[in-house]
Amino acid sequence: MNEQPVIRLSVSDMRCAGCISKVEAAIDSVDGVAQASVSLADHTAIIFVHADHVGRMHELGDAVIAAIANTGREATRLSVSDDVNVRPETSTEQDGQSKKRLLQVLVAGVAGFGLMAANMAGLLPAISADHTVFWIGVALITAMIMLATGFDYYRGMLRGFKYRSGSMDTLIGLGTASAWCYSTVLVINPDLIVEAARHTYFEAALIILALINLGQWLESRAKGKTGEAIRLLCGLQARDARLVRDADDGTVEIDIPISQVRVGDILRVRPGEKVPVDGRVTEGQSVLDESIISGESMPVLKSAGDAVIGGTINATGSLLIQAEQIGHDTVLAHIIDTVRIAQASKPAIAKLADRVASIFVTAIISIALLTFVIWWFFGPEPSSVYAFTTMMSVLLIACPCALGLATPISIMVGTGRGATAGILIKNAEVLEMLEKVTTVVVDKTGTLTEGKPSLSTLHSIGAMAEDDLLSQAASLEQGSEHPLAAAVLEAAKERELSLETVDDFAALPGKGVQGLMNQQTLLLGNATLMNDADIKICEHAELVEQHQQAGETVIYLAVNGALAGLIGISDPIKTTTQEAITALHDEGIEVVMLTGDNHHTAQAVATKLGIKHFEAEVLPEQKAAVIKQLQDEGNIVAMAGDGINDAPALAQAHVGIAMGTGTDVAMESAGLTLIKGDLNGIVRARRLSRATMKNIRQNLFFAFVYNSAGVPIAAGILYPFFGLLLSPVIAAAAMSCSSVSVITNALRLRSTKL
């Protein structure tokens, strides 16, 4: 699998949407960066590199890290696959942070509520010149507790001042620091305010920090659940493999670390063990649980010659497998890479939130200052108290966190849910577009059908024997990856025919193959290839049509410009195809079948499946043109295919869907891969798309409505009508709850029925 030109970083001290905007802007300023996506959900940055800068990835990574440092944050490199030994992410550091946050909640909460209780019980002396020493002591103790429980926020606030950027830390720091400063000035010089209005906010500052830390603690615990899909996938990787080696007295088996496995090694997989790497069974028979990879609960029978995927579980028998893909090249590593990149990507719907976030903190501080001025000059007495209280409430209730988490947290959970159901989504744009699809275009071979065609008939023309016809055809097909080639080769193998070397082999997309063998020019392919070579096939049209109407694909073998034989190949329709086509029709989706096969065969398949619109004898470039025509007619088009010849059409479609059983080229061209290669996956993917986008809209609606309503209420808009003012403590509690609410809503996607 091709390694993508991607740099993955872990970025510290990101707390809100404003932080994300600043970091993305810094990364985008680096020459060579094609696109950057920063996620608040897992504090990572994915940087896509321009193709002409791939050779200087390390240098570019250093430049990006330096740019992020200029925003006051630290970035460290992460391997896109996090090492070939894909292991579960350690939670030790997270547990330590969680315990620290909980301790901060307890310290600030006990101190704040204790001070408030003592004040309400009349245990504290009045604020006057006679008790200045006592209150200065309270101020100093409060300051120490504030620093101990809110140091991260104050450090973030000062960093924001230094780099001229605001964040959630700025609002929390200003709100609580101004409460302490106001109260300290008051206790030092109580005569500044009339006696009836003398009230300190020491306990409010502490309770606010306790509530915010509680919100952060709940948020971190909820965020931990959003990454369960990745941790589950990482946990699938085996730690060790059992290597089978030749010895003087037979073979020996030894356990080795997975990192020491090499391509070609023979490995034993015992019952109950995980398959260590991608490979092929060489001996034995067993059933494998592939549910975590394909999303299908039914175990799959594997025997000699069958491919196996690393991370799947051997249920019963003992198998010997030959390692074919290791490390970064395994299916599991590719899935993890894709999910991580998708989780950091953003749909178009998030752009509005990003624009708002870029000015959010500045706007809130401006509103807070305006609120202070209005209450100071126009509010009732004591106007200074009202002005300060409302300003502090505005600073504390505004929540850029909810705005910043609304989209990435849903994308993170949604893409993870898809991965565990065998739906591999490359980026958030695909997830957003999928729910809008009106037309699904499908390739026939390998998409609607099993993609495992078998030889049905051989018809020799002239003096050539059937075995010679098959032997020449199979020799020529040795260099082809087309499913029809596999059918010819398998038939030759069953007949134990010897194959010969072919020179000047060339694959002709959409037509067939050609080559030289024993100084003879061979052509093997469809009618188009024969017509292009001026080889007469019309006199056999009736025989060909009979086979085609039976659903067979007929290919022609020509030797030195003369037709030598016909080969009929059948490919059974997948058992799940009819169900999937019916489900898509029920959702109002038009299904269009494109195939390079002949009209009669295509019509036979389309009629059986109830597909009204199909195009036959379509070349690869024509497939892309058909997609373009459908798009020009106003359709949102998804294309599902599995072969090299589908790659242009997959790239042209709004959503390219690759079958997991297909070629790497198809998967690279597609935005979505169905691991099992089952069209029912499209139905499930659309359900996931609708659920995820609905969840994002709910989160964004809540975040916008919360801030749009909360800030005016905190500013005192209800006071002239109902005499209501919002306490800064309540404002801080509301701010903490808003982030937790967004995350909790996103976590519902984990139980979405697909």
Side-chain angles (χ1 to χ4, degrees), residues 723-747:
L724 295 177
L725 275 182
L726 196 65
S727 162
V729 172
I730 301 300
M735 189 268 278
S736 297
C737 288
S738 64
S739 295
V740 176
S741 299
V742 165
I743 297 173
T744 303
N745 184 51
L747 287 174

mmCIF file of all heavy atoms in Angstrom, residues 723-747:
data_model
loop_
_atom_site.group_PDB
_atom_site.id
_atom_site.type_symbol
_atom_site.label_atom_id
_atom_site.label_comp_id
_atom_site.label_asym_id
_atom_site.label_seq_id
_atom_site.Cartn_x
_atom_site.Cartn_y
_atom_site.Cartn_z
ATOM 1 N N GLY A 723 -35.830 41.190 36.434
ATOM 2 C CA GLY A 723 -34.966 41.405 37.583
ATOM 3 C C GLY A 723 -34.001 40.258 37.829
ATOM 4 O O GLY A 723 -33.532 40.067 38.950
ATOM 5 N N LEU A 724 -33.696 39.500 36.765
ATOM 6 C CA LEU A 724 -32.822 38.332 36.893
ATOM 7 C C LEU A 724 -31.409 38.630 36.415
ATOM 8 O O LEU A 724 -31.213 39.204 35.356
ATOM 9 C CB LEU A 724 -33.384 37.162 36.076
ATOM 10 C CG LEU A 724 -34.731 36.598 36.523
ATOM 11 C CD1 LEU A 724 -35.182 35.506 35.575
ATOM 12 C CD2 LEU A 724 -34.642 36.056 37.955
ATOM 13 N N LEU A 725 -30.427 38.220 37.227
ATOM 14 C CA LEU A 725 -29.018 38.278 36.839
ATOM 15 C C LEU A 725 -28.401 36.907 37.052
ATOM 16 O O LEU A 725 -28.754 36.198 38.002
ATOM 17 C CB LEU A 725 -28.259 39.309 37.675
ATOM 18 C CG LEU A 725 -28.290 40.765 37.214
ATOM 19 C CD1 LEU A 725 -27.451 41.610 38.150
ATOM 20 C CD2 LEU A 725 -27.782 40.895 35.793
ATOM 21 N N LEU A 726 -27.472 36.548 36.168
ATOM 22 C CA LEU A 726 -26.832 35.243 36.244
ATOM 23 C C LEU A 726 -25.580 35.327 37.099
ATOM 24 O O LEU A 726 -24.717 36.179 36.867
ATOM 25 C CB LEU A 726 -26.470 34.765 34.832
ATOM 26 C CG LEU A 726 -26.149 33.280 34.660
ATOM 27 C CD1 LEU A 726 -27.381 32.437 34.955
ATOM 28 C CD2 LEU A 726 -25.666 33.017 33.240
ATOM 29 N N SER A 727 -25.490 34.451 38.085
ATOM 30 C CA SER A 727 -24.296 34.407 38.926
ATOM 31 C C SER A 727 -23.107 33.900 38.122
ATOM 32 O O SER A 727 -23.251 33.008 37.290
ATOM 33 C CB SER A 727 -24.541 33.480 40.122
ATOM 34 O OG SER A 727 -23.324 33.089 40.715
ATOM 35 N N PRO A 728 -21.908 34.439 38.358
ATOM 36 C CA PRO A 728 -20.719 33.927 37.666
ATOM 37 C C PRO A 728 -20.499 32.432 37.915
ATOM 38 O O PRO A 728 -19.997 31.720 37.041
ATOM 39 C CB PRO A 728 -19.581 34.755 38.265
ATOM 40 C CG PRO A 728 -20.229 36.026 38.687
ATOM 41 C CD PRO A 728 -21.595 35.634 39.168
ATOM 42 N N VAL A 729 -20.884 31.962 39.093
ATOM 43 C CA VAL A 729 -20.728 30.537 39.402
ATOM 44 C C VAL A 729 -21.628 29.692 38.498
ATOM 45 O O VAL A 729 -21.210 28.670 37.939
ATOM 46 C CB VAL A 729 -21.057 30.278 40.890
ATOM 47 C CG1 VAL A 729 -21.094 28.771 41.169
ATOM 48 C CG2 VAL A 729 -20.028 30.960 41.775
ATOM 49 N N ILE A 730 -22.873 30.129 38.332
ATOM 50 C CA ILE A 730 -23.802 29.418 37.451
ATOM 51 C C ILE A 730 -23.308 29.484 36.004
ATOM 52 O O ILE A 730 -23.412 28.516 35.242
ATOM 53 C CB ILE A 730 -25.217 30.011 37.554
ATOM 54 C CG1 ILE A 730 -25.728 29.927 38.999
ATOM 55 C CG2 ILE A 730 -26.170 29.295 36.610
ATOM 56 C CD1 ILE A 730 -25.814 28.517 39.531
ATOM 57 N N ALA A 731 -22.754 30.636 35.629
ATOM 58 C CA ALA A 731 -22.224 30.790 34.270
ATOM 59 C C ALA A 731 -21.100 29.788 34.005
ATOM 60 O O ALA A 731 -21.034 29.163 32.945
ATOM 61 C CB ALA A 731 -21.719 32.220 34.070
ATOM 62 N N ALA A 732 -20.205 29.635 34.989
ATOM 63 C CA ALA A 732 -19.097 28.686 34.827
ATOM 64 C C ALA A 732 -19.607 27.250 34.752
ATOM 65 O O ALA A 732 -19.109 26.435 33.968
ATOM 66 C CB ALA A 732 -18.115 28.832 35.983
ATOM 67 N N ALA A 733 -20.619 26.937 35.560
ATOM 68 C CA ALA A 733 -21.192 25.596 35.533
ATOM 69 C C ALA A 733 -21.828 25.311 34.174
ATOM 70 O O ALA A 733 -21.667 24.218 33.606
ATOM 71 C CB ALA A 733 -22.229 25.446 36.642
ATOM 72 N N ALA A 734 -22.520 26.306 33.636
ATOM 73 C CA ALA A 734 -23.157 26.139 32.321
ATOM 74 C C ALA A 734 -22.107 25.918 31.237
ATOM 75 O O ALA A 734 -22.278 25.087 30.336
ATOM 76 C CB ALA A 734 -24.002 27.369 32.001
ATOM 77 N N MET A 735 -21.017 26.663 31.311
ATOM 78 C CA MET A 735 -19.941 26.519 30.323
ATOM 79 C C MET A 735 -19.353 25.109 30.371
ATOM 80 O O MET A 735 -19.146 24.473 29.332
ATOM 81 C CB MET A 735 -18.851 27.556 30.584
ATOM 82 C CG MET A 735 -17.794 27.640 29.488
ATOM 83 S SD MET A 735 -16.398 26.573 29.799
ATOM 84 C CE MET A 735 -15.464 27.607 30.913
ATOM 85 N N SER A 736 -19.129 24.587 31.575
ATOM 86 C CA SER A 736 -18.571 23.242 31.698
ATOM 87 C C SER A 736 -19.529 22.190 31.158
ATOM 88 O O SER A 736 -19.130 21.253 30.463
ATOM 89 C CB SER A 736 -18.253 22.947 33.168
ATOM 90 O OG SER A 736 -17.263 23.833 33.650
ATOM 91 N N CYS A 737 -20.805 22.373 31.464
ATOM 92 C CA CYS A 737 -21.802 21.392 31.013
ATOM 93 C C CYS A 737 -21.968 21.392 29.496
ATOM 94 O O CYS A 737 -22.286 20.361 28.905
ATOM 95 C CB CYS A 737 -23.154 21.691 31.671
ATOM 96 S SG CYS A 737 -23.184 21.300 33.432
ATOM 97 N N SER A 738 -21.756 22.544 28.864
ATOM 98 C CA SER A 738 -21.981 22.625 27.422
ATOM 99 C C SER A 738 -21.027 21.706 26.661
ATOM 100 O O SER A 738 -21.422 21.008 25.728
ATOM 101 C CB SER A 738 -21.825 24.066 26.931
ATOM 102 O OG SER A 738 -20.504 24.519 27.114
ATOM 103 N N SER A 739 -19.761 21.675 27.048
ATOM 104 C CA SER A 739 -18.785 20.811 26.373
ATOM 105 C C SER A 739 -19.107 19.347 26.601
ATOM 106 O O SER A 739 -19.063 18.528 25.676
ATOM 107 C CB SER A 739 -17.373 21.103 26.882
ATOM 108 O OG SER A 739 -16.982 22.400 26.537
ATOM 109 N N VAL A 740 -19.442 19.019 27.840
ATOM 110 C CA VAL A 740 -19.764 17.632 28.162
ATOM 111 C C VAL A 740 -20.999 17.180 27.395
ATOM 112 O O VAL A 740 -21.080 16.044 26.917
ATOM 113 C CB VAL A 740 -19.975 17.473 29.682
ATOM 114 C CG1 VAL A 740 -20.398 16.054 30.015
ATOM 115 C CG2 VAL A 740 -18.703 17.845 30.430
ATOM 116 N N SER A 741 -21.963 18.077 27.221
ATOM 117 C CA SER A 741 -23.187 17.737 26.492
ATOM 118 C C SER A 741 -22.889 17.401 25.034
ATOM 119 O O SER A 741 -23.449 16.450 24.469
ATOM 120 C CB SER A 741 -24.178 18.902 26.562
ATOM 121 O OG SER A 741 -24.543 19.171 27.890
ATOM 122 N N VAL A 742 -22.012 18.187 24.420
ATOM 123 C CA VAL A 742 -21.646 17.944 23.019
ATOM 124 C C VAL A 742 -20.983 16.579 22.868
ATOM 125 O O VAL A 742 -21.296 15.807 21.952
ATOM 126 C CB VAL A 742 -20.717 19.070 22.509
ATOM 127 C CG1 VAL A 742 -20.037 18.665 21.208
ATOM 128 C CG2 VAL A 742 -21.511 20.351 22.304
ATOM 129 N N ILE A 743 -20.073 16.261 23.761
ATOM 130 C CA ILE A 743 -19.364 14.983 23.677
ATOM 131 C C ILE A 743 -20.319 13.819 23.938
ATOM 132 O O ILE A 743 -20.292 12.801 23.238
ATOM 133 C CB ILE A 743 -18.197 14.945 24.680
ATOM 134 C CG1 ILE A 743 -17.172 16.029 24.342
ATOM 135 C CG2 ILE A 743 -17.529 13.580 24.688
ATOM 136 C CD1 ILE A 743 -16.073 16.191 25.359
ATOM 137 N N THR A 744 -21.170 13.981 24.932
ATOM 138 C CA THR A 744 -22.127 12.919 25.251
ATOM 139 C C THR A 744 -23.054 12.642 24.074
ATOM 140 O O THR A 744 -23.362 11.488 23.755
ATOM 141 C CB THR A 744 -22.957 13.307 26.488
ATOM 142 O OG1 THR A 744 -22.078 13.576 27.578
ATOM 143 C CG2 THR A 744 -23.914 12.185 26.876
ATOM 144 N N ASN A 745 -23.465 13.690 23.387
ATOM 145 C CA ASN A 745 -24.323 13.519 22.219
ATOM 146 C C ASN A 745 -23.583 12.763 21.123
ATOM 147 O O ASN A 745 -24.143 11.870 20.472
ATOM 148 C CB ASN A 745 -24.790 14.880 21.697
ATOM 149 C CG ASN A 745 -25.768 14.750 20.548
ATOM 150 O OD1 ASN A 745 -26.756 14.025 20.643
ATOM 151 N ND2 ASN A 745 -25.511 15.441 19.458
ATOM 152 N N ALA A 746 -22.317 13.102 20.919
ATOM 153 C CA ALA A 746 -21.526 12.421 19.880
ATOM 154 C C ALA A 746 -21.337 10.944 20.210
ATOM 155 O O ALA A 746 -21.327 10.092 19.309
ATOM 156 C CB ALA A 746 -20.169 13.103 19.720
ATOM 157 N N LEU A 747 -21.216 10.620 21.473
ATOM 158 C CA LEU A 747 -20.986 9.224 21.868
ATOM 159 C C LEU A 747 -22.180 8.335 21.530
ATOM 160 O O LEU A 747 -22.038 7.105 21.470
ATOM 161 C CB LEU A 747 -20.682 9.144 23.368
ATOM 162 C CG LEU A 747 -19.296 9.650 23.791
ATOM 163 C CD1 LEU A 747 -19.167 9.653 25.301
ATOM 164 C CD2 LEU A 747 -18.200 8.804 23.173
#
